[in-house]
Amino acid sequence: MSLANKLTFFRIILTPVFFIIFIFPGKAAWTVPVLIFIYIVSEVTDLLDGLAARKLNETSDFGKLFDPFADTLMQITVFLCFVIDGIFPAFLLLIVIYREFGILFIRNMMLKNGVTLGARFSGKLKTVSYIVAGGFALLTVSLQRLGIFEFIIPYFKIAAVVIFSISVLISAISFFDYLVIYRKTQNNIQQ
């Protein structure tokens, strides 16, 4: 297994750990630094696996599919935690899930035709917006669990939902970008 794929696999392992610690009974203050650490390590490994693949010339069709799979697992898990905690509305998470399954379907259809669809700029922009939304929601949850700056928490919750809503909009636009690429590929194959 290449270094890039090991980093991606590590991110997959972190995903259920984040969830278990997040839902730990009592929502104790000790969970805050652990959750922040896992979140940061997850995002850093996402950056590093791509850099390692390119620098070490380890890019592969497997990696092009494995990395977004790991990203999706972590993102949906993190967002689910914030839905459970009452920060994000469930219907926005449902849109994210539909988008991710739609992309999975498109990638599988393209793979069936011998084309591996890697990340596109719109997908990378979607990822950055997810990171910002998740980070802001994690900050809000952290303040709640630490019991500090309680007067500002309602405003942070509103801001977190607004940021998440924008990221969901970006993800929907990204889906249509991938759909256009899929249709162009299909047209080229049929000609």
Side-chain angles (χ1 to χ4, degrees):
M1 187 180 276
S2 69
L3 175 61
N5 289 338
K6 286 178 184 175
L7 289 169
T8 302
F9 184 69
F10 182 63
R11 195 161 65 258
I12 289 173
I13 291 171
L14 288 177
T15 300
V17 174
F18 183 94
F19 182 78
I20 290 165
I21 292 171
F22 192 93
I23 63 167
F24 192 82
K27 300 181 182 187
W30 69 265
T31 63
V32 170
V34 176
L35 291 170
I36 291 171
F37 177 77
I38 292 171
Y39 191 75
I40 290 171
V41 168
S42 174
E43 299 309 332
V44 168
T45 57
D46 185 23
L47 175 67
L48 292 177
D49 66 7
L51 292 173
R54 286 185 291 281
K55 185 167 176 83
L56 301 174
N57 199 24
E58 296 177 342
T59 57
S60 66
D61 288 346
F62 175 77
K64 289 177 187 176
L65 298 174
F66 193 43
D67 178 59
F69 170 74
D71 294 346
T72 300
L73 280 181
M74 179 55 97
Q75 291 159 350
I76 288 175
T77 300
V78 167
F79 295 158
L80 176 63
C81 290
F82 299 136
V83 168
I84 290 169
D85 220 37
I87 304 289
F88 291 161
F91 80 91
L92 290 176
L93 174 59
L94 195 58
I95 293 169
V96 168
I97 292 170
Y98 289 167
R99 184 261 183 206
E100 297 303 333
F101 274 105
I103 294 294
L104 177 64
F105 179 76
I106 288 170
R107 285 177 195 237
N108 282 334
M109 291 302 293
M110 290 184 75
L111 196 58
K112 180 181 161 196
N113 294 320
V115 179
T116 304
L117 180 62
R120 296 191 37 81
F121 177 77
S122 65
K124 291 179 186 285
L125 183 61
K126 178 261 326 174
T127 298
V128 170
S129 72
Y130 279 4
I131 292 167
V132 172
F136 203 84
L138 184 55
L139 173 63
T140 304
V141 168
S142 298
L143 293 175
Q144 284 178 316
R145 289 185 180 194
L146 294 173
I148 58 174
F149 302 115
E150 293 178 1
F151 66 95
I152 203 166
I153 291 173
Y155 302 105
F156 273 44
K157 283 185 177 181
I158 292 168
V161 171
V162 168
I163 293 168
F164 186 51
S165 298
I166 292 167
S167 73
V168 170
L169 178 62
I170 291 169
S171 76
I173 292 167
S174 167
F175 173 78
F176 288 107
D177 178 41
Y178 280 85
L179 189 59
V180 167
I181 295 301
Y182 169 70
R183 287 186 176 168
K184 285 181 182 176
T185 304
Q186 286 298 103
N187 289 340
N188 290 340
I189 291 171
Q190 291 173 356
Q191 291 177 353

